[in-house]
């Protein structure tokens, strides 16, 4: 009567259609999730948490708990209003007559609500079985009442119904009319006629009426809330929920039509209990109203307790809900029931039911939207294990349900909707950072996989362009205990590119009972998390390190995301240091280093690979057109200290883009030099290194117009948009040592052969320079002050003659000895662009 009296028949039918459209879409989603596996206690919370993960599940669980709590309070207040209408002393009278003996005031009505809520508590404390029996008895009573009401519309003759309304100086009497079936009455009630709600004194509107009406439709979750108490929830929930929705929708529409055709608007708007006045047996209507409202209050109370119990059992909120875990001997969560009862009792202080109707409706709409979101996510993830036996849904129905819930939330009460979403967001953030990890499975992982696979297929390597080149690193790590700072440094070098930590285990799978790499995978992933680097992990078994690196270079990555740069630690005789134990990521916590990595190699123990094999790895990478970086003494780089130094002078990065081992072919604009410049620039672009400045060293000889060379280099840097200081370094004394030991004069056959940019025919540059020259070059680099945070040097190609590999490595060791953190760089691909 409230809905039809204010909204009229047309708008009332529209409200029912909108409400049941939203409910229908949600029911399809509930049925789909409920039939996709075993369902435990918690209803909608259980469905959402197991589909969307603990953050969404826990936050929506709290929202759904509050919705049920407020809903229970709403129905208790509605029952109090019905009792007071039937047995309350009329306004303006000090003493009642007949059955009208109950005093009316805020505190008396609160007392009545407390007594009725205590009755609901008693039923719920006994357990689900007595609740089920009580609700079945109530169903029979309500069905009988509904039958008599339908008969009354036809059997009762037209009559005048006196209406006593409260007024500021007493009571006001008005007359409503039951006209029987009348075309004029129907015509008068077709359109809307919003007036003042006599219980609250507030002007009604479409949104406020819809908010009150929608609360009568929220019982669709009553069955799913009892999922832990049902024998076959996957069977019972779809059938029971769909049947209830269809039945109530038909009954609401039928009653709306009958009321509009037989009752005038005054009766509908000013007497919400008019059905007693027109019934052929008025006491039965009163009993039916009481029974239906009491059933709804109990349903919401027991639903809230089951949600709270499920939240407590999942330990999402830790000790805050620990008390709610306690159950009786029969398994009834009595403490959850008592806590829910206490919260409902607090809500009862709000007073009138229409005051909290919009809040309850907003909470329920938010829960329904999230149920649809959970089903939509499962459908879009296309996981093979999502195959519900209920198939009458698509992603379209889920999307329509979400849209309908969100639109109606903001139409009903923008303030309540915004506050609810803000509260939900706070809960999400709190659970994300504070809740323990779960083993339920995260739908986000399935969705990410689905999208990543799709976009990887779209990433076409044939469309690569140098403008969009980025470093994609494969860092080979023998033992992370000795490589923590190197791992962190390469993370700064990747510039949003692919970063893979590679490791070779020297074993033969034929001789092993199972794969030894699987148990190690978790340790490596934990390492990545602890060091806070954005890297993948790729482990392999191989008979030698060289074969393992080849495997990883061939197989790491997927599609257009494959490593283009190999990073190796330097091969020298220094004893490895356990940098992992001293790393801030581990020393700042109480944990010991829990990772299952073996101890570092003792200084006297043999190495896993020889010098010849190490240089062979470099040669293999260059043959496979991979860039190569050799990092020496990066474990001595204290990045935090370097970057916290006083602003004047800021830390520097020294760049030597000339092949110091071949002074007779020194060039600054070949592919390798440009790649070296690019890597130094990429490091400088990383957030942690932006305060550092690049210093580029230009080696010049007397009589070669150094200023012209400097201007040319400066123009190159300008074209490449690289900001760097250029420092001229005379090296006549150094090159003189080279020419004294070289067989031929400058420009001879050896030099011409070297200047050919061959890929396969490696130059034999290791035979071109003496140790004395290399030591002098090392001293030249070392003398440049102030000392930099890191140096970038040109890495020459390994010699074609493999017998010269040890000599090549020896000269690299001499060149970088005592330089501190140094990166030797050799690039084989064009990586710089001067075009838009």
């Amino acid at each position: 009567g409230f809905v039809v009296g204010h909204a009229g028949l047309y708008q009332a039918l529209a409200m029912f259609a909108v409400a049941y459209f939203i409910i229908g879409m949600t029911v399809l989603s509930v049925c789909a999730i409920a039939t996709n596996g075993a369902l435990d206690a918690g209803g909608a919370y259980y469905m959402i948490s197991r589909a969307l993960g603990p953050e969404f599940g826990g936050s929506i669980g709290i929202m759904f708990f509050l919705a049920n709590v407020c809903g229970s309070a709403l129905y208790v207040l509605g029952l109090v209003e019905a009792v007071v209408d039937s047995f309350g002393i009329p306004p303006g009278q000090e003493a009642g007559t007949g059955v009208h003996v109950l005093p009316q005031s805020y505190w008396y009505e609160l007392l009545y609500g407390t007594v009725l809520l205590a009755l609901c508590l008693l039923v719920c404390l006994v357990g689900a079985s007595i609740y089920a029996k009580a609700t079945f008895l109530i169903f029979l009573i309500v069905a009988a009442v509904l039958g008599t009401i339908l008969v009354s519309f036809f059997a009762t003759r037209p009559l005048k119904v006196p209406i006593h309304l409260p007024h500021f100086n007493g009571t006001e009497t008005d007359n409503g009319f039951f006209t029987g079936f009348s075309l004029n009455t129907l015509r008068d009630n077709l359109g809307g006629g919003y007036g003042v709600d006599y219980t609250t004194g507030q002007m009604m509107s479409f949104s406020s009426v819809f908010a009150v009406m929608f609360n009568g439709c929220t019982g669709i979750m009553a069955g799913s809330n009892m999922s832990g108490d049902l024998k076959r929830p996957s069977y019972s929930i779809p059938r029971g929920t769909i049947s209830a929705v269809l039945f109530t929708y038909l009954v609401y529409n039928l009653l709306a039509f009958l009321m509009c055709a037989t009752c005038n608007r005054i009766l509908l708007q000013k007497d919400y209990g008019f059905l007693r006045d027109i019934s052929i047996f008025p006491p039965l209507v009163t009993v039916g109203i009481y029974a239906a409202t009491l059933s709804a209050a109990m349903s919401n109370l027991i639903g809230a307790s089951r949600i709270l119990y499920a939240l407590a059992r999942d330990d999402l909120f830790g000790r805050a809900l620990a008390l709610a875990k306690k159950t009786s001997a029969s398994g009834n969560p009595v403490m959850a029931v008592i806590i829910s009862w206490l919260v409902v009792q607090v809500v009862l202080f709000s007073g009138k039911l229409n005051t909290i109707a919009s809040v309850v409706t907003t909470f329920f709409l938010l829960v329904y939207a999230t149920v649809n979101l959970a089903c939509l996510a499962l459908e879009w993830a296309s996981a093979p294990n999502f195959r519900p036996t209920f198939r009458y849904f698509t992603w379209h129905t889920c999307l329509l349900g979400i849209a309908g819930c969100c639109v109606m939330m903001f139409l009903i009460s923008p303030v309540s909707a915004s506050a609810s979403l803000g509260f939900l967001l706070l809960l999400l953030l709190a659970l994300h950072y504070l809740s323990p990890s779960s083993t339920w499975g995260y739908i986000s992982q399935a969705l990410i996989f689905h999208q990543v696979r799709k976009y990887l297929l779209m990433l076409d390597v044939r469309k690569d362009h140098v403008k969009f080149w980025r470093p994609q690193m494969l860092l080979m790590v023998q033992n992370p205990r000795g490589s923590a700072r190197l791992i962190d440094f390469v993370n700064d070098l990747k510039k949003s590119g692919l970063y893979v930590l590679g490791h070779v285990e020297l074993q033969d799978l034929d001789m092993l009972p199972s794969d030894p790499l699987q148990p190690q995978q978790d340790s490596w992933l934990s390492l990545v998390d602890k060091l806070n680097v954005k890297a993948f992990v790729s482990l392999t078994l191989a008979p030698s390190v060289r074969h393992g690196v080849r495997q990883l270079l061939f197989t790491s990555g997927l599609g257009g995301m494959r490593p283009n740069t190999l990073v190796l630690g330097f091969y020298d005789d220094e004893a490895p240091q356990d940098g992992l134990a001293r790393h801030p990521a581990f020393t700042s916590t109480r944990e010991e280093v829990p990772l299952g990595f073996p101890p570092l190699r003792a200084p006297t123990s043999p190495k896993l690979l020889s010098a010849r094999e190490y240089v062979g790895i470099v040669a293999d990478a260059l043959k496979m057109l991979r860039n190569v970086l050799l990092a020496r003494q990066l474990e001595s780089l204290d990045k935090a200290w370097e970057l916290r130094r006083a602003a004047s002078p800021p830390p520097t990065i020294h760049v030597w883009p000339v092949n110091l081992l071949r002074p007779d072919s020194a060039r600054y604009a070949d592919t390798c030099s440009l790649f070296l410049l690019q890597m130094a620039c990429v490091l400088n672009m990383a957030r942690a290194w932006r305060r550092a400045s690049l210093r580029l060293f230009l080696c010049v000889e007397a009589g070669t117009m150094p200023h012209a060379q400097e201007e040319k280099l400066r123009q190159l840097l300008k074209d490449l948009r690289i900001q760097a200081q250029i420092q001229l370094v005379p090296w006549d004394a150094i090159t003189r040592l080279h020419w004294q030991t070289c067989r031929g004069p400058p420009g001879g056959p050896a030099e011409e052969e070297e200047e050919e940019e061959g890929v396969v025919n490696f130059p034999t540059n290791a035979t071109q320079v003496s140790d004395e020259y290399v030591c002098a070059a090392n001293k030249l680099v070392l003398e440049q002050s102030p000392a930099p945070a890191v140096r970038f040097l040109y890495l020459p190609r390994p010699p074609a003659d493999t017998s010269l590999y040890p000599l090549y490595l020896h000269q690299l060791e001499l060149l970088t000895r005592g330089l501190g953190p140094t990166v030797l760089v050799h690039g084989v691909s064009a990586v710089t662009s001067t075009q838009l």
Side-chain angles (χ1 to χ4, degrees), residues 584-605:
F586 297 93
T587 57
S588 61
T589 62
R590 296 179 182 177
E591 307 177 28
E592 299 178 359
V593 181
L595 308 175
F597 300 118
L600 287 170
R601 175 183 61 83
T604 57
S605 302

Side-chain angles (χ1 to χ4, degrees), residues 92 198 255 310 318 700 729:
Y198 70 87
L255 286 176
V700 295
V729 180

